Amino acid sequence: MSNHAAFILASYLAAFVILGGLVIASLSARNRVRRELDQRGLAPRGSAPRGVDRKR
Amino acid sequence: MADLHFLANPARFRRFSQRVLPGLGFATVLMLCACLYMAFFVAPADYQQGQTVRIMFLHVPSAWLSMMGYALLAGLGASLLVWRHPLAALMARAAAPVGASFAAVCLLTGSLWGRPMWGTYWVWDARLTSMLLLFFLYLGHIALSRAYDEPERGDRAAAILALIGVINLPIIKFSVDWWNTLHQPASVTRLDAPAIHNSILVPLLWMAVSLLFLFVFLVLLRTETEIDRRRLENAAAQEEGAPA
Amino acid sequence: MTPKRRRLWLLIGSLGTLAVAAALVLSALNDNLVFFYSPTQVAEKSPGPDRRFRLGGLVEAGSVQKEGQVVRFVVTDTHKTMAVVYRGMLPDLFREGQGVIAEGALGGDGVFVAREVLAKHDENYMPPEVAKALKEAGRWKEGK
């Protein structure tokens, strides 16, 4: 890499942090909501019937 | 009738997204890895910009996606306001942070590209300013949709903002033609042939497709979460004995 | 008219009004949205010596002279030219024939004293070998 490697790597790092952070936040939000639905004994709408294919 | 709609559509959407998400996520990861390899090891350096042209592979697709995302918000806003489509509000809630993130990536990478090439991180020219406005419109949408106790009112207000803000999209696109700007005119989306050599254009388009996959993945995943969250809230309201 | 229809027309109407309003505002703002002036525009407007503005154009080939920290060059829009003096670091892309934008004001002698020089780059991207081949074939910047 030439002399501007710092700028190039910084921009890829910034994108990785922002988009990767959003992916992680989205996945953990989904898992949290699903867990709460589970605790209330509610199957998420549109999911398979209880017991089948619930948790992978 | 409206009630049936409300029950049927999110459920169908949920079944669809559950079927699609794992494969889509897997494909996105694979494609992004391939694109990173192309961006760093296959694509050549530019004749003037040298290695920094590699920033373009992030900058340009995120600009496209952030604009596409706002058009999506506007479309969802219209379908909420006019047809009261039940899924539209949930999907808009899900999509706004995704679009905002891509706008942030576009602004940050652009800034990191401008410093070595133009000699400045930022100028207030028409292109950069209108792009910053897009980012703030996204933030406004996110804030407005969460500003009310009743989520429906927030959804309505955010939809109106999305429809007003859509005027910014042609301004961003044509700012480089209408006014003198530091930012150069369009390279890919012009009427004649793109001004980018194939060896740089092909990785750029692949990266755009991969990031589009990521965008769709995130919007589907977050919409599914919003559907579940709305159901959770309704259940909680019923438990308290409030007549929902 | 059904309520759905009415809402749709209401929406179309308000969006149309908004678009017209935005177009009016933008055309009114047009003058202030200009990021830089070309040498021809500067010659027409002849701004006073203390008025700061941005000058944009191409660096004329063969005009760049460096004396230590001080750089002198000529900016052209292929119509009129303007001499520029600048003290400081130049951006990477600064070179003869390249687009630049200089911010500063006119000095008493008619020379533009720049406080900042930014390089504008064009919309063309290609590997160096292709650029070289194009230049050798005499097809450089055709259709411009």
Side-chain angles (χ1 to χ4, degrees):
Chain A
M1 284 282 146
S2 73
N3 41 351
H4 292 308
F7 291 100
I8 300 168
L9 295 178
S11 59
Y12 275 82
L13 190 71
F16 186 77
V17 168
I18 292 174
L19 297 178
L22 187 66
V23 169
I24 290 169
S26 305
L27 282 172
S28 70
R30 180 190 64 169
N31 292 343
R32 197 173 55 240
V33 172
R34 275 197 183 170
R35 212 164 33 240
E36 275 179 53
L37 276 178
D38 249 4
Q39 280 168 3
R40 289 175 179 274
L42 298 166
R45 228 187 271 142
S47 67
R50 260 186 161 291
V52 184
D53 191 31
R54 278 305 290 285
K55 243 179 187 174
R56 226 172 270 224
Chain B
M1 181 64 203
D3 236 27
L4 263 182
H5 224 80
F6 182 73
L7 283 175
N9 259 335
R12 214 182 309 141
F13 174 88
R14 217 179 164 293
R15 271 198 300 278
F16 167 76
S17 76
Q18 287 210 306
R19 203 166 320 139
V20 167
L21 273 176
L24 186 63
F26 188 65
T28 304
V29 170
L30 277 188
M31 284 175 64
L32 280 176
C33 289
C35 279
L36 275 182
Y37 178 77
M38 272 199 272
F40 277 95
F41 301 107
V42 178
D46 181 60
Y47 74 113
Q48 274 195 326
Q49 306 206 22
Q51 303 289 343
T52 54
V53 72
R54 302 188 196 286
I55 297 176
M56 178 171 69
F57 301 130
L58 285 176
H59 177 71
V60 172
S62 7
W64 289 341
L65 285 171
S66 62
M67 291 170 72
M68 189 201 79
Y70 205 84
L72 174 69
L73 282 193
L76 291 170
S79 91
L80 173 68
L81 293 177
V82 177
W83 294 281
R84 305 273 150 92
H85 196 295
L87 197 57
L90 298 178
M91 195 182 260
R93 263 168 201 269
V98 182
S101 303
F102 277 99
V105 169
C106 174
L107 288 167
L108 276 174
T109 54
S111 179
L112 288 165
W113 194 7
R115 176 66 221 178
M117 287 302 109
W118 293 339
T120 179
Y121 285 110
W122 185 261
V123 290
W124 293 100
D125 82 351
R127 169 56 76 82
L128 277 66
T129 308
S130 55
M131 192 62 210
L132 185 65
L133 180 63
L134 180 72
F135 179 64
F136 285 135
L137 282 171
Y138 271 123
L139 293 189
H141 191 282
I142 295 169
L144 211 50
S145 66
R146 287 155 178 71
Y148 296 90
D149 285 336
E150 304 158 64
E152 286 79 12
R153 290 181 66 188
D155 289 334
R156 208 84 52 80
I160 292 169
L161 177 71
L163 285 168
I164 294 171
V166 83
I167 283 179
N168 192 33
L169 291 185
I171 295 179
I172 296 177
K173 169 76 183 111
F174 295 111
S175 55
V176 288
D177 303 323
W178 290 344
W179 301 292
N180 288 335
T181 52
L182 179 60
H183 197 286
Q184 70 285 0
S187 302
V188 181
T189 53
R190 26 186 249 177
L191 288 176
D192 48 343
I196 304 187
H197 191 262
N198 269 341
S199 56
I200 299 177
L201 182 62
V202 169
L204 176 66
L205 294 181
W206 271 110
M207 188 64 117
V209 172
S210 314
L211 288 176
L212 175 66
F213 272 43
L214 179 62
F215 185 99
V216 173
F217 173 82
L218 281 166
V219 170
L220 289 183
L221 174 70
R222 297 175 62 89
T223 306
E224 193 189 300
T225 309
E226 288 298 327
I227 293 172
D228 287 352
R229 198 199 307 276
R230 200 53 70 90
R231 178 161 158 80
L232 200 59
E233 281 162 9
N234 287 346
Q238 268 174 9
E239 240 168 55
E240 280 167 30
Chain C
M1 249 203 237
T2 62
K4 212 177 275 183
R5 258 284 174 68
R6 205 170 54 234
R7 288 200 299 265
L8 182 61
W9 282 113
L10 205 67
L11 191 73
I12 291 173
S14 42
L15 273 185
T17 317
L18 205 66
V20 172
L24 286 177
V25 170
L26 285 176
S27 66
L29 279 176
N30 213 355
D31 237 24
N32 297 320
L33 276 169
V34 172
F35 190 67
F36 61 84
Y37 294 96
S38 68
T40 308
Q41 288 168 319
V42 175
E44 278 166 11
K45 296 202 172 189
S46 59
D50 290 325
R51 176 117 157 65
R52 284 168 58 85
F53 64 97
R54 294 195 191 87
L55 171 73
L58 300 175
V59 181
E60 195 162 66
S63 72
V64 178
Q65 296 168 1
K66 288 186 180 162
E67 304 150 17
Q69 278 275 301
V70 181
V71 191
R72 290 173 182 279
F73 55 94
V74 174
V75 167
T76 174
D77 55 8
T78 68
H79 213 63
K80 295 225 170 192
T81 61
M82 178 158 272
V84 179
V85 59
Y86 173 65
R87 171 190 288 273
M89 280 278 289
L90 288 168
D92 252 38
L93 281 183
F94 180 91
R95 62 195 71 165
E96 290 176 359
Q98 181 76 36
V100 290
I101 292 171
E103 190 188 357
L106 281 176
D109 51 355
V111 173
F112 186 83
V113 183
R115 300 209 338 188
E116 190 180 26
V117 173
L118 303 177
K120 195 170 152 56
H121 76 77
D122 58 29
E123 69 273 32
N124 297 302
Y125 299 88
M126 62 189 86
E129 313 86 69
V130 177
K132 196 163 157 259
L134 274 182
K135 275 177 188 155
E136 278 166 5
R139 298 207 298 128
W140 186 245
K141 308 235 158 144
E142 65 180 11
K144 276 208 171 176

